[in-house]
Amino acid sequence: MLLTIYDRYKQKRVDVSPDDNCTQVKEVQGENVLTLSFTLYEYVALDVNDYVDYLGERYWLMEKYQPKQKSTVEWVYNIKMYGIESLIKRFLVLKMVDNECEPVFTLTDKPTEHISLIVQSLNIGMDTNAWKVGVVDGLENIVIDYEGKYCNEALKEIAEKVGTEYWFDGQTLNLCRCEYG
């Protein structure tokens, strides 16, 4: 299998052929990590926010990577790339009012509004409009204190109060039972 790693500007950085010991570990309401091992015959620098698309999902590098030089013409890479489930830990939930980004506030509203707020924060944090709201369970108002809360913390609290789980399907955030097939 050939995978293409792109830089943050969507420019192709390198094509790689991963070894057989590569893994993907994905948990509902938890981490989503793609571990890749490969060898290149020229040095290629990998940087924060470089990404690869694998099985319909995007995985990003969260730190600059320095490969090990095996010989004068071989560099060995063992990298961990993270799905959005892991990246949401980097973004605060923000309340956008009158062009002000406010990280400290309390919201009493339906779960749909809380999820919309988190999607908006993800779009701001990633400088995109790609993230969308999917299926959201719960019709009762819930109260969440967003006092400098990161998206993953807020999602866990919302899911607990609604009595369900959150999960991503591509670039769509869902708050309902996760079922496939």
Side-chain angles (χ1 to χ4, degrees), residues 54-68:
Y54 177 72
L55 295 179
E57 293 185 67
R58 185 159 287 176
Y59 293 86
W60 292 267
L61 199 58
M62 291 179 64
E63 58 187 29
K64 191 172 187 165
Y65 185 78
Q66 198 60 28
K68 293 181 181 163

Side-chain angles (χ1 to χ4, degrees), residues 48-97:
V48 175
N49 291 333
D50 285 359
Y51 68 89
V52 65
D53 292 322
Y54 177 72
L55 295 179
E57 293 185 67
R58 185 159 287 176
Y59 293 86
W60 292 267
L61 199 58
M62 291 179 64
E63 58 187 29
K64 191 172 187 165
Y65 185 78
Q66 198 60 28
K68 293 181 181 163
Q69 189 171 5
K70 188 174 180 179
S71 70
T72 57
V73 292
E74 276 187 306
W75 283 264
V76 177
Y77 293 76
N78 292 301
I79 61 174
K80 283 190 177 187
M81 301 185 88
Y82 298 88
I84 188 61
E85 295 86 346
S86 301
L87 285 178
I88 62 175
K89 296 176 184 178
R90 299 191 317 183
F91 306 114
L92 286 171
V93 179
L94 300 172
K95 180 179 177 187
M96 298 296 293
V97 178

Side-chain angles (χ1 to χ4, degrees), residues 73-145:
V73 292
E74 276 187 306
W75 283 264
V76 177
Y77 293 76
N78 292 301
I79 61 174
K80 283 190 177 187
M81 301 185 88
Y82 298 88
I84 188 61
E85 295 86 346
S86 301
L87 285 178
I88 62 175
K89 296 176 184 178
R90 299 191 317 183
F91 306 114
L92 286 171
V93 179
L94 300 172
K95 180 179 177 187
M96 298 296 293
V97 178
D98 299 326
N99 292 325
E100 293 180 22
C101 294
E102 184 59 44
V104 178
F105 61 97
T106 299
L107 179 62
T108 303
D109 213 331
K110 294 185 179 2
T112 304
E113 293 306 312
H114 288 275
I115 297 299
S116 295
L117 189 65
I118 290 171
V119 165
Q120 181 182 24
S121 297
L122 289 173
N123 280 325
I124 290 167
M126 298 188 79
D127 194 26
T128 184
N129 286 322
W131 300 100
K132 307 285 184 228
V133 176
V135 177
V136 179
D137 285 350
L139 300 173
E140 300 294 320
N141 284 350
I142 58 174
V143 179
I144 305 286
D145 291 319

